[in-house]
Amino acid sequence: MSLVADRPGPGAARPYHFPEVVRRDGVVAAHLPGQALAIATLLLDAGAGRESAGSEGLAAVVAKALEEGTTKRDAAAYALALESLGAELFTSVDWDSFRVGVQAPVDRLPEAVALLAEAARTPRLEPADVARVRDDEATALRMDWADPGPRADAALRADIFGRDKRHGRPLSGDPDSVAGVSVDDVVGYHRTWFGQRGTLLVAGDLTTVDLGALGATVFAGAGEPVESAGGPLPIEPRSARRLVIVDRPGSVQSTLRLGHAAPHRAHPDHVSMTLAATVLGGAFTSRLNHLIREVRGYTYGIRGEFGQSRRFGRLLVGSGVQTAVTVPALVDTVGEISRTAAEGVTEEELAVARSWRAGQLSVELQTPGAIAGALATLVVHDLPDDYHASLRAAILAADEATVSAAAAKHLNPAGLTVVVEGDAALIRDELVASGLGEVVDAQF
C-alpha cells in the first residue's frame, strides 16, 4: 500500500445540457436517459398566497394531512401500498404552488402516480387526524419561534409588505394562526383548490413511460383551471430607513435582518440581480462576508440575496452578532449595500460570481427531483421551455455594466427595513444614536 504524494488535478470540464422539455396535454416532462428513478409531481395553483386572513399556515396543515390516508385506505394501508412499490410521497407549499409528488422506480411509475392521485384528489381528512396534524404543526412552530430568527423574519416581512397583506405575514403562518385552523378550514381548502386540473411534472427515463396515461390518471375528474391570483405586485420603494426592534430580554446576541421590496421572479433583470446579490452577500467570498466576518470578526457568516416569487420579491440580508457589536455591524452592512448600489461591481468580483453561479447551476440540476423542480419554475413563472438550457450561458455572458446597473436599480439602501432581535434594554439607545433611521418596536 502506497500513499499518493501529489494531489490529483481536476478533470476536464464537461458541458452541461438541460434535458429537452416535453409538453403533452397538461404534462411537462424531461427525459433523463438511464435514470431508473423517476419523479412525478402534481403542481397546483394552491400555494400560501391563496390563504385568507387569519388562516395563515392552513396550506401547510393540508399538506401534512394528505399523508394521513385516503378515502380508499387508511394511513397504514396507504403507506404499505407506497412501500410495496419502493415509492415515497412528498408534499410542499410555497407562495405560488402546492405540490404533491412521488418518487419511484421508473418501471413502477404508473402505479405510484395512481397513489399520488389518490392522495391529492381523495384524502381521508378524518377530523381526529386533521386535528392531530394541526396541533403538531402548531407545536413545531412554537418551538421554532422560541429560537432567534422567526420573529425577526416576521417583523421584516410585515414592515416591508404590511401585515394586512398575505405576503406580509409568514409563509407557514405563526403558532397562533396555525392553532386556529379548523377541520372545516382544511376540508374547505381542499374542496376549493384541489379540484383543478393542475400540471403534472415528470422527470426520469421516459423511454417506456406513457405520459398521456399518467396525465389521464392524475387529471381524471378534474375541473377547470382556477382564476389567476393576479400579476406582479407594484413595488413601492421607501425613501426613509426604519429600524425595528424585536425585544429578546437577556439575549447575548442580536439577530439582524435587513431588506426591502424587489421585483418578481420572472423579471427580465433576474440574472443580473442574482449576480449583483452574489457579489454583495450571496457567497462566502462576498463583500458582506469578507467585511463583517473576515475583517471585523463580528459574525460567523452573513448572507444576502433576492428572494422572488410569482407576484413579488424582496432583498434579504441576515446574520447574527454579539450584542456589543450590533450597531457597528449594522453600520458596516448598510454601508456595503450603499456602496454596491452606488459603485456597482468590479470585473474581478463578477468573474468569481459568474463562475460560481454557473458551476452551482450545473451541479444542482442533476437529479430527477431537481429537474422536476426546474420544470415547476417554468410553469409557475411562465418561462420559455429553453430557459434553463440557456440560463448558464446567460450567467456567463453577464457583463459588469449590466450587473452594476441592476445593483443601482434594485438595491435601495435608503429605504431599507432593518430588524434587530435582541435585548432592547441594551441596544435601543445606541440604535437611536446611530442615525441609521427611525427606531420603532415590532408589533405582533
Side-chain angles (χ1 to χ4, degrees):
M1 180 177 178
S2 61
L3 297 176
V4 177
D6 299 319
R7 177 182 298 176
R14 293 180 294 173
Y16 175 80
H17 301 289
F18 190 83
E20 181 182 359
V21 177
V22 178
R23 291 182 182 259
R24 190 168 302 165
D25 192 25
V27 180
V28 181
H31 177 42
L32 309 176
Q35 179 56 258
L37 189 68
I39 294 285
T41 303
L42 177 60
L43 179 72
L44 299 170
D45 185 352
R50 294 294 194 178
E51 296 169 340
S52 58
S55 65
E56 297 86 1
L58 169 57
V61 175
V62 174
K64 292 292 185 181
L66 293 186
E67 302 175 6
E68 297 298 317
T70 69
T71 56
K72 184 177 180 180
R73 27 188 151 211
D74 62 21
Y78 185 81
L80 194 59
L82 282 170
E83 187 176 337
S84 69
L85 299 174
E88 180 183 356
L89 182 78
F90 57 88
T91 60
S92 66
V93 178
D94 58 26
W95 287 109
D96 305 313
S97 66
F98 193 116
R99 307 181 196 190
V100 187
V102 287
Q103 174 180 279
V106 70
D107 60 345
R108 298 177 181 179
L109 191 60
E111 295 91 338
V113 168
L115 289 174
L116 181 162
E118 189 178 318
R121 304 299 191 186
T122 60
R124 196 174 184 89
L125 300 183
E126 285 287 338
D129 292 335
V130 172
R132 174 173 46 78
V133 166
R134 174 205 59 208
D135 292 345
D136 287 348
E137 286 295 291
T139 298
L141 278 176
R142 288 191 188 97
M143 294 174 64
D144 187 42
W145 280 56
D147 291 332
R151 290 200 303 155
D153 292 333
L156 178 67
R157 183 171 290 279
D159 194 72
I160 293 175
F161 299 116
R163 287 186 58 83
D164 59 322
K165 305 291 194 306
R166 175 59 190 94
H167 57 293
R169 299 184 297 278
L171 171 64
S172 298
D174 59 47
D176 291 336
S177 69
V178 171
V181 168
S182 70
V183 174
D184 287 343
D185 291 334
V186 172
V187 172
Y189 196 86
H190 184 271
R191 183 185 301 117
T192 300
W193 301 112
F194 281 68
Q196 61 180 290
R197 183 179 173 89
T199 302
L200 181 64
L201 313 170
V202 183
D205 191 325
L206 305 180
T207 304
T208 60
V209 174
D210 185 340
L211 295 177
L214 296 183
T217 298
V218 171
F219 302 141
E224 296 300 314
V226 297
E227 184 178 351
S228 171
L233 298 170
I235 299 172
E236 301 175 0
R238 291 178 176 169
S239 58
R241 200 177 299 126
R242 186 176 341 194
L243 280 65
V244 181
I245 297 178
V246 178
D247 191 18
R248 191 176 181 84
S251 178
V252 298
Q253 290 190 337
S254 292
T255 298
L256 311 181
R257 298 289 188 268
L258 301 86
H260 58 65
H264 61 290
R265 173 62 177 79
H267 193 280
D269 290 347
H270 172 72
V271 169
S272 53
M273 288 172 62
T274 298
L275 289 169
T278 302
V279 171
L280 173 64
F284 190 80
T285 57
S286 70
R287 289 179 173 181
L288 284 173
N289 204 57
H290 176 72
L291 177 61
I292 308 300
R293 173 192 160 105
E294 301 298 325
V295 177
R296 304 295 194 216
Y298 292 155
T299 182
Y300 283 114
I302 181 170
R303 290 192 62 83
E305 62 184 358
F306 285 106
Q308 299 167 302
S309 71
R310 183 168 58 198
R311 304 192 66 203
F312 61 89
R314 65 168 176 166
L315 173 74
L316 173 62
V317 176
S319 186
V321 300
Q322 289 187 347
T323 299
V325 297
T326 299
V327 169
L330 285 175
V331 170
D332 281 343
T333 300
V334 172
E336 280 301 285
I337 297 172
S338 300
R339 180 168 77 91
T340 304
E343 302 176 5
V345 303
T346 68
E347 178 55 40
E348 182 180 10
E349 292 172 317
L350 181 56
V352 174
R354 282 192 302 248
S355 176
W356 184 70
R357 283 291 177 189
Q360 184 185 48
L361 184 69
S362 300
V363 171
E364 287 179 347
L365 295 179
Q366 295 284 344
T367 65
I371 298 297
L375 296 178
T377 299
L378 301 183
V379 175
V380 170
H381 302 290
D382 196 24
L383 297 170
D385 286 353
D386 66 350
Y387 176 80
H388 290 100
S390 59
L391 181 56
R392 189 173 187 276
I395 291 172
L396 293 174
D399 58 36
E400 180 185 345
T402 303
V403 175
S404 293
K409 181 178 180 181
H410 299 295
L411 291 176
N412 179 23
L416 281 168
T417 292
V418 179
V419 176
V420 183
E421 181 179 3
D423 192 329
L426 299 179
I427 60 178
R428 183 187 304 276
D429 290 346
E430 194 174 359
L431 286 172
V432 172
S434 71
L436 287 173
E438 176 191 13
V439 177
V440 299
D441 291 310
Q443 302 296 321
F444 292 101

